Amino acid sequence: MIAHAIFFYTFSIIAVVSAIMVTASKNTVHSVFFLILDFISISCLFIMIGAEFLGMIMLIVYVGAVAVLFLFVVMMLNVAQQKNQWFAAKDSSKHIPVGLLISTLIFVEIIIVIGGWKYKPEIFDINNSITQTSISNTHSLGRILYTDYIHIFQISGMILLVAMIGAIVLTFRQRSGVKRQSYIKQISRERAEGVEVIEVGTNKGVRIDD
Amino acid sequence: MEYISIVFEEVYKILFLLVPVLVSVAMIVWLDRRIWAFVQKRQGPNVVGPFGLLQSLADALKYIFKEMIIPSSSNKLIFILAPIVTMTLALIAWAVIPFGATQVLADINVGILYLFAVSSLGVYGIIMGGWASNSKYPFLGAIRSAAQMVSYEVSIGVIIINVLLCVGSLNLNDIVTAQQSMWFVIPLFPMFVIFFISALAETNRPPFDLPEAEAELVAGYQTEYSGMMYAMFWLGEYANILLMCAMGAILFLGGWLSPLEVFPFTLIPGAIWLILKILLLFFLFALVKAIVPRYRYDQLMRLGWKVFLPFSLIWVVLTASYLFYFNLLPVN
């Protein structure tokens, strides 16, 4: 049990400190790296409570894909400078009330959920099959996700798909005047189309049109 | 007292795994260069030691004694962290590789997901190195490499789903034992080919070595690195290649199973069979490096997203419906 407690407190302290550092560090790229550290320690916590599948999926999806895209955007747009300016500027105090309001709301929500779960556990339907220890965590997740909650699962998948298509439609634009490369054309080019043998007359030269 | 003995036992096991891995990484570099040379009718490294076997050792010594140069405008902490991250991630993944029914360091339930997660984290070493160098070529190389690795991860994930459909478990030992009657390379041969090509792209090997395309980007994300830090990138890269070969061997070639369950084959321990399979896949990796020209970047992206992803998704549907129709789905 001591080892368990040591591991738990190590991971949770790292998670909390890095979450604070995400907002506190001045360099945006450092913020993203702290966010990644946060994700990793959270997934370690998931593994510690026995939700190994969730922990690994957290690593694959958030750290392996989402955070890479964050890093991309931050590095490409040079947001680092903007954040510094924002910190230095006077008008940053205008955003503080909004931020406070949102964080208070999130805090109250968490209190309600955790309080309800602690004092009225029968309201929450989490104790049915996940906690069976005879089968592995992945199996039990699959069992309830694809039976009891199949509709919710499918609908969330559809929402993600629609969001993805929407993002593509919003950002896709057909620019004119761009030379596109067509693979079929490039591969199926024959010698006859590419090379031409011309009899060049003296003092005439060759006229090349493209 | 009990904890201390557990720790000692585990450290002993880890050393017993990691030292051979590191030595074989050095050997595999030599093998790579030799195969590459033989395809081109050259000799390759053949001077240091018998057949040039000690060439990598000599190279490593040279790297150790060279000066590590840290560019003054770089972000020093991340610059130093990048090769460490690459190397560490390449080595921790070996924890779950089964060399036999019981010879595995960590026999975890979600072994294949762990492998996949660690290989998808590998991109961070490259991005960190490229960004922290604060220079144009490394940055371009890092961006190319990140986009490439994220794209090919998607198709590798779908291919893994194909195999998992036939196994019904995420445990690597279960995946190996499910191939007792037939290796998955036979029913899932197209997936094996796609896995092999995606593994080439995932480890930045030729013909997909665009992140370090020397004609355009000098050396890509490694441009500013020197001495031991460069050597660590290089070791991590080859450890990753070996890991991908091991993953291919486990998913498709039956891992530590012997090809035929008859007398002379069963005498050889499973670890030897796994190593032979890894070497076979690595031989293919080296051959591809020698005979295929480099892809153009847009062709690479098209191959990943427009060819491999739809094809492997369709194959998932086919595999699932075949298993469902013939009632072969593994249920436990």
Side-chain angles (χ1 to χ4, degrees):
Chain A
M1 267 339 268
I2 298 170
H4 191 271
I6 290 172
F7 279 121
F8 173 76
Y9 284 112
T10 315
F11 290 134
S12 44
I13 287 170
I14 292 174
V16 171
V17 169
S18 56
I20 292 169
M21 287 306 287
V22 172
T23 51
S25 74
K26 289 212 167 160
N27 189 333
T28 325
V29 176
H30 290 177
S31 294
V32 179
F33 281 126
F34 277 116
L35 188 67
I36 293 162
L37 183 61
D38 198 24
F39 284 150
I40 293 176
S41 28
I42 295 287
S43 81
C44 292
L45 286 176
F46 266 129
I47 294 167
M48 278 193 69
I49 58 166
E52 58 218 2
F53 184 77
L54 271 185
M56 289 298 162
I57 288 294
M58 179 107 182
L59 270 189
I60 293 168
V61 174
Y62 283 96
V63 185
V66 174
V68 173
L69 295 182
F70 279 5
L71 259 188
F72 246 59
V73 172
V74 167
M75 285 175 177
M76 301 277 266
L77 295 184
N78 212 356
V79 200
Q81 277 178 349
Q82 280 178 7
K83 192 173 176 184
N84 271 337
Q85 284 165 5
W86 193 82
F87 263 111
K90 289 224 173 77
D91 59 23
S92 65
S93 58
K94 270 192 271 178
H95 302 284
I96 289 177
V98 183
L100 270 182
L101 188 72
I102 292 173
S103 44
T104 322
L105 267 179
I106 294 174
F107 185 65
V108 169
E109 280 176 357
I110 291 173
I111 291 282
I112 291 171
V113 164
I114 292 178
W117 173 53
K118 183 136 191 234
Y119 293 104
K120 283 254 185 266
E122 68 272 10
I123 308 177
F124 296 91
D125 192 25
I126 54 170
N127 294 328
N128 39 23
S129 58
I130 283 276
T131 42
Q132 270 183 37
T133 44
S134 58
I135 49 172
S136 81
N137 175 255
T138 318
H139 279 125
S140 47
L141 255 182
R143 272 188 199 169
I144 71 166
L145 212 56
Y146 290 100
T147 52
D148 298 352
Y149 298 107
I150 181 69
H151 292 118
I152 299 169
F153 186 71
Q154 294 272 337
I155 288 168
S156 54
M158 282 307 289
I159 290 171
L160 280 178
L161 182 68
V162 169
M164 192 180 81
I165 294 172
I168 292 172
V169 168
L170 283 178
T171 53
F172 187 76
R173 55 190 167 138
Q174 200 88 48
R175 277 174 297 178
S176 58
V178 180
K179 227 177 165 186
R180 291 201 180 277
Q181 286 170 324
S182 153
Y183 303 92
I184 312 290
K185 247 192 215 164
Q186 283 173 349
I187 294 166
S188 59
R189 233 161 86 104
E190 299 271 328
R191 186 172 181 275
E193 308 164 44
V195 186
E196 198 180 348
V197 182
I198 303 175
E199 203 69 40
V200 185
T202 326
N203 285 333
K204 291 258 175 61
V206 183
R207 196 187 148 75
I208 302 169
D209 10 79
D210 38 288
Chain B
M1 211 51 228
E2 192 195 346
Y3 283 129
I4 293 171
S5 67
I6 290 175
V7 166
F8 266 108
E9 201 182 323
E10 290 301 315
V11 166
Y12 169 72
K13 277 191 207 160
I14 290 169
L15 282 181
F16 200 71
L17 177 71
L18 280 193
V19 172
V21 166
L22 283 173
V23 172
S24 55
V25 164
M27 289 295 110
I28 222 86
V29 176
W30 169 81
L31 188 68
D32 189 27
R33 292 174 65 183
R34 281 292 265 197
I35 295 169
W36 193 13
F38 279 137
V39 173
Q40 298 171 345
K41 278 195 112 178
R42 293 185 287 119
Q43 282 298 312
N46 65 346
V47 178
V48 192
F51 308 105
L53 265 171
L54 301 177
Q55 178 67 45
S56 308
L57 216 66
D59 284 349
L61 273 180
K62 188 186 80 178
Y63 283 126
I64 290 168
F65 288 115
K66 275 200 167 186
E67 185 190 354
M68 281 196 286
I69 299 164
I70 300 175
S72 58
S73 65
S74 66
N75 191 324
K76 289 183 189 55
L77 180 70
I78 297 181
F79 188 80
I80 296 170
L81 266 178
I84 299 176
V85 166
T86 307
M87 184 77 189
T88 316
L89 286 174
L91 291 182
I92 58 169
W94 285 91
V96 292
I97 300 286
F99 287 90
T102 52
Q103 294 154 334
V104 50
L105 199 60
D107 194 11
I108 58 177
N109 280 336
V110 285
I112 190 71
L113 279 184
Y114 174 83
L115 268 187
F116 188 56
V118 170
S119 75
S120 71
L121 293 190
V123 67
Y124 281 109
I126 291 170
I127 297 191
M128 285 162 88
W131 180 77
S133 301
N134 200 4
S135 144
K136 298 282 181 295
Y137 291 131
F139 189 59
L140 282 174
I143 291 209
R144 273 188 182 186
S145 155
Q148 173 180 334
M149 286 171 88
V150 170
S151 314
Y152 279 85
E153 217 118 76
V154 179
S155 63
I156 289 191
V158 178
I159 292 163
I160 289 176
I161 291 176
N162 264 305
V163 174
L164 294 182
L165 273 175
C166 309
V167 179
S169 166
L170 297 171
N171 185 308
L172 285 173
N173 253 331
D174 288 349
I175 292 176
V176 172
T177 41
Q179 303 178 51
Q180 203 99 51
S181 51
M182 189 200 282
W183 293 357
F184 287 144
V185 67
I186 299 164
L188 297 174
F189 185 71
M191 288 301 103
F192 175 66
V193 174
I194 291 183
F195 177 84
F196 182 73
I197 299 172
S198 303
L200 285 175
E202 181 76 13
T203 50
N204 297 329
R205 283 283 291 187
F208 305 112
D209 59 339
L210 287 144
E212 46 202 271
E214 60 275 353
E216 306 146 37
L217 294 180
V218 190
Y221 59 92
Q222 302 167 338
T223 308
E224 305 288 344
Y225 281 89
S226 55
M228 202 53 215
M229 289 198 287
Y230 177 77
M232 276 176 82
F233 261 132
W234 177 78
L235 278 175
E237 209 170 280
Y238 273 90
N240 257 329
I241 291 167
L242 272 189
L243 183 78
M244 273 293 163
C245 294
M247 213 163 138
I250 288 168
L251 287 178
F252 292 101
L253 298 179
W256 42 264
L257 293 174
S258 64
L260 290 170
E261 292 294 332
V262 290
F263 167 65
F265 290 113
T266 45
L267 278 181
I268 302 168
I272 304 284
W273 282 121
L274 183 65
I275 289 166
L276 283 178
K277 285 164 188 170
I278 292 174
L279 278 180
L280 173 76
L281 282 177
F282 184 78
F283 181 70
L284 290 178
F285 264 66
L287 270 190
V288 169
K289 178 180 181 174
I291 59 182
V292 184
R294 185 177 292 136
Y295 259 54
R296 210 169 58 204
Y297 196 70
D298 59 323
Q299 288 174 331
L300 170 89
M301 281 300 165
R302 175 180 166 274
L303 187 71
W305 287 105
K306 293 191 184 168
V307 181
F308 284 177
L309 183 63
F311 187 68
S312 41
L313 272 175
I314 290 171
W315 206 268
V316 169
V317 176
L318 278 182
T319 315
S321 24
Y322 177 83
L323 292 174
F324 186 73
Y325 187 74
F326 290 100
N327 218 358
L328 291 168
L329 274 173
V331 184
N332 44 359

